[in-house]
Structure formats: C-alpha cells, structure tokens
Amino acid sequence: MDLDKPPVRQPPQQPEGCLVVAIRLPVRIVALVLVLPVRMAWDALVVACRFLNDLLLRPLGRALLWLGRAVVVLPLVGLWRYVVVPLGKALAWLGNVLVVAPLVWCHRYLLTPVGHALLWLYARVLTPAVIGLAAALAWLARYLVVVPARLLYDWFLAPVGRAVTWCVVGVGRLLALLVRGVGWVLYWVARVLFVLPGLALWRWFLAPVGRAVTWCVVGVGRLLALLVRGVGWVLYWVARVLFVLPALALWRWVLAPVGRVLALVGREAWDALRHAWRVAGYISLAVGRFLGTFLRWIFVEPVRWVYRSVLTPVGHVVRDVVLRPAAAAARAVGRTVRQSLAAARASVRQARADVRRLLLGEPRRPEPVARREPSGRETRTLDSSTTALTKD
C-alpha cells in the first residue's frame, strides 16, 4: 500500500518575457509600501474591535438583557400570572353564571318545548289541511280547465291548424316555382349580355396588354437593380479603403499592443496587491506578536511573578495561621450550639410529655399479639413448633 501522496500536477506555465519581469518587481515593491500601513491599520482595528467586544459590548449586552428581564419581563409575567389570569377566570365564571347559564336554561326549558309544540302542530294539523286543500284545487282545475281545453283542441283548433298549414304549403310551393323560373331567365340574360363579352375582352385585349406592361416593368426593375448594385459596390470599396482598412490598421498596430501592455500592467498590479496584502499580513502578525511579547514581559510577567512569589506565600500563611483556626473554632462553636439546642429540644419534649401524662393519664399500650414467626434472634428449626407441619 502506497502511503505517499501523489505529486500535485501544476498547470503548465507560459514563458514570461523580460517586460513582465521588469514590471513585476517595481510594482510589487510599490504595492507593498502602499498596502502595509493599510493592512497594519486594519489588523489593529480588528484587535481593538475584538477587545472592545469582549470587555465592553458583550458584558454591557448581558447587563442590558438582565435589566430588561428584571424590569420588563418579570413584571409582565407577574402581571399576567397574578392579575390577568385570575381576572380572566373571574370574568369567565361571571359570564358563565350571568349569560351562558340563563341562555342554556331558556333554550332547554322554554325554546325547546315551544319548538316541539309548533312542530307537532305543523305535522299533525297544518300538513293534512294543506294536503286536502291542494287535492281539492287539483280536482277542480282538472275538471274545469283541463278537460274543456283538451276538447277544444281536439275538435276545433287541430282541424283548423291542419287546413291553414295545407294552404300555406301550397302557396309556398307555387311561389318557389315562379321564383325558380324568373331566376333561370335572368341568369341566361346576364350570361349573354355581360359574362361572354367580358370574357372575350379579358382574353383578347386585357391579358396581352398586361403581359406587355409586366415585361416592361420587370426589365426596368432589373436595370435599376443593376445600377444600384454597381453603385453599392463602388461605395463599399470606397468605405473599405477610407474607413475599414485604416481602422483595422489602427486596431492591429496601435490599440491591440497598448491594450495588451495595459492588461499586463493591470494583471501584475492586481497580483502585486494580493501578494503585498499577504506579505503585509505576515509582517503585521510579526509586529503584533512582538508587541504582545513586549507587553507581556513588561506588564504580565511582573504581575505573575508578584502573584507567585509574594501573594501566594502570604495567602498560604494567612490561610494556615488565621483562616483554618478560625474555621475550626467556628465549627466547634456551631457543634456546641447544635448540641445545646438538641438538649433543649429534648427537655421541652420531655416536659410536654410529662404535662400530657399528668392531664390525660398514661396512654394505652397495645396488647402483644402471638406471632407465628420466631421472635428475637431465634431461628426456625425442625424441633420447634413454629413450622406449618409441627405447630399446634
């Protein structure tokens, strides 16, 4: 098994000319000189912001959060829990007693019986009456209106309608025959007087004249197209010689080389800025570590030495000489006080028991009950009568 990492393939680099090398080093030096103060100022600002956040903003935010909780949240919670909720429960109970219960009683003992009575009256009295009245009206309508109307239709209106229909159909067929004959006559008159002369005029006069005019127009159009094509070709070459070729030469021999040089300078400037920003970061880190080490040796190490060499031995001496004996004495005093309080409680309990005994007498002691199990430290054996097989 191969544990070595495969070599990283680098992309093929194009060969750089002397102009690139000549431009790169001055640009990077200038970029480093310009970027280094900005990077150091940025790192100093970041450190100051972190220090300010850790020592001022975060504790201030926690204090404001605690203050807001103590001033706003806890009073609102207390108000909700001990004022709004009991008041709401009281109002709900009052509304239930004053509104809901009377409405339920009214619905149950007043509206429901009245509704059942009205429903019974409608189902048992009004519905049969309405059904009988409707049946009587239907019978009267059938024998007073429907039967006479059917007789009138069968014996008078139907025969009259059939006769009128036969007359109208006959007159319509006669008129159709007349219209068809007049139309055929007019068709042949129009064909002889208009269609045949017009067809002869189109075939022997208008069509040849139109073809001649079309041939003339097409010839003139082709001539004009040839003239326009020649003029366009001349203008094309004139514009090409006067504008396109000079512009192409300007782009190829002036603008393109200048653009390449400017692109090279811009790319190198961008690479130089990135390189300078990275190098300035390393320099700023080194300066920051130097300042941190300097401040640590100036301030932190003396304070640490004083704490280790002076304050710690003094604190141990104070702990061993003063604090521990004081703690032992306090524990002894506490133990004595607890024993005194326990003795006082026992005395008070005994005095209370004596007073109760004097006033009420001795309490009744429970009578001993014969137990089937051995008492004390005796064990169950085969010779004793405490087992289920040998007991009395």
Side-chain angles (χ1 to χ4, degrees), residues 372-374 380-392:
R372 296 182 180 180
E373 296 294 331
R380 181 180 297 174
T381 61
L382 295 176
D383 295 336
S384 63
S385 60
T386 58
T387 61
L389 298 176
T390 60
K391 66 180 181 179
D392 296 336

Side-chain angles (χ1 to χ4, degrees), residues 313-365:
V314 172
H316 290 174
V317 171
V318 171
R319 181 191 62 188
D320 296 335
V321 175
V322 178
L323 296 180
R324 285 184 177 175
R331 284 195 294 271
V333 171
R335 191 180 303 110
T336 304
V337 171
R338 285 196 299 273
Q339 291 176 359
S340 301
L341 291 176
R345 282 196 299 271
S347 300
V348 171
R349 190 180 299 111
Q350 186 66 31
R352 189 168 59 249
D354 294 338
V355 171
R356 188 185 303 112
R357 191 180 303 110
L358 290 175
L359 295 176
L360 302 177
E362 289 288 339
R364 297 178 60 183
R365 295 182 179 180

Side-chain angles (χ1 to χ4, degrees), residues 20-351:
V20 177
V21 178
I23 291 174
R24 179 176 298 169
L25 186 60
V27 170
R28 289 193 176 185
I29 293 173
V30 173
L32 179 61
V33 172
L34 295 176
V35 170
L36 181 60
V38 178
R39 181 59 187 265
M40 294 187 68
W42 174 259
D43 293 339
L45 182 61
V46 170
V47 172
C49 290
R50 289 180 180 176
F51 183 78
L52 183 65
N53 181 42
D54 294 337
L55 296 182
L56 180 61
L57 297 180
R58 189 175 297 174
L60 182 61
R62 292 176 180 174
L64 292 176
L65 182 62
W66 180 85
L67 183 63
R69 179 180 176 84
V71 174
V72 179
V73 177
L74 294 180
L76 290 178
V77 170
L79 180 64
W80 171 262
R81 184 176 296 173
Y82 300 107
V83 177
V84 177
V85 173
L87 183 61
K89 291 182 179 179
L91 291 177
W93 179 82
L94 188 62
N96 187 18
V97 172
L98 296 179
V99 179
V100 178
L103 290 177
V104 171
W105 182 88
C106 181
H107 179 268
R108 183 177 297 172
Y109 298 104
L110 182 61
L111 297 179
T112 302
V114 172
H116 286 303
L118 293 176
L119 183 61
W120 180 85
L121 181 63
Y122 173 76
R124 297 299 177 86
V125 178
L126 295 179
T127 302
V130 171
I131 293 174
L133 183 60
L137 292 176
W139 185 82
L140 291 175
R142 178 179 179 83
Y143 287 99
L144 294 179
V145 178
V146 176
V147 174
R150 182 176 294 177
L151 293 176
L152 179 63
Y153 174 79
D154 292 338
W155 299 102
F156 179 72
L157 295 179
V160 172
R162 293 189 187 96
V164 172
T165 303
W166 185 81
C167 294
V168 171
V169 170
V171 173
R173 290 178 178 177
L174 182 59
L175 292 176
L177 290 174
L178 292 176
V179 169
R180 187 178 296 175
V182 173
W184 184 77
V185 172
L186 293 176
Y187 165 74
W188 278 104
V189 170
R191 181 178 176 84
V192 172
L193 295 179
F194 299 101
V195 176
L196 294 178
L199 184 61
L201 179 64
W202 168 261
R203 183 175 296 174
W204 302 105
F205 179 72
L206 295 178
V209 172
R211 293 188 187 95
V213 172
T214 304
W215 185 81
C216 294
V217 171
V218 171
V220 173
R222 290 179 179 177
L223 180 61
L224 292 177
L226 184 60
L227 293 176
V228 170
R229 187 179 298 174
V231 173
W233 184 78
V234 172
L235 293 176
Y236 165 75
W237 278 104
V238 169
R240 182 179 177 86
V241 172
L242 294 179
F243 299 102
V244 176
L245 295 179
L248 184 62
L250 179 64
W251 168 261
R252 182 175 296 174
W253 304 107
V254 178
L255 296 179
V258 173
R260 292 191 188 96
V261 173
L262 292 178
L264 176 62
V265 173
R267 186 173 61 252
E268 292 298 329
W270 176 251
D271 294 339
L273 286 175
R274 291 193 301 175
H275 183 73
W277 183 263
R278 188 167 55 252
V279 173
Y282 290 126
I283 296 174
S284 177
L285 180 62
V287 172
R289 288 179 178 176
F290 172 75
L291 292 177
T293 305
F294 180 73
L295 294 176
R296 182 167 61 84
W297 283 104
I298 295 297
F299 297 103
V300 179
E301 291 298 333
V303 173
R304 182 182 296 178
W305 180 84
V306 170
Y307 177 77
R308 286 182 178 178
S309 302
V310 178
L311 297 180
T312 301
V314 172
H316 290 174
V317 171
V318 171
R319 181 191 62 188
D320 296 335
V321 175
V322 178
L323 296 180
R324 285 184 177 175
R331 284 195 294 271
V333 171
R335 191 180 303 110
T336 304
V337 171
R338 285 196 299 273
Q339 291 176 359
S340 301
L341 291 176
R345 282 196 299 271
S347 300
V348 171
R349 190 180 299 111
Q350 186 66 31

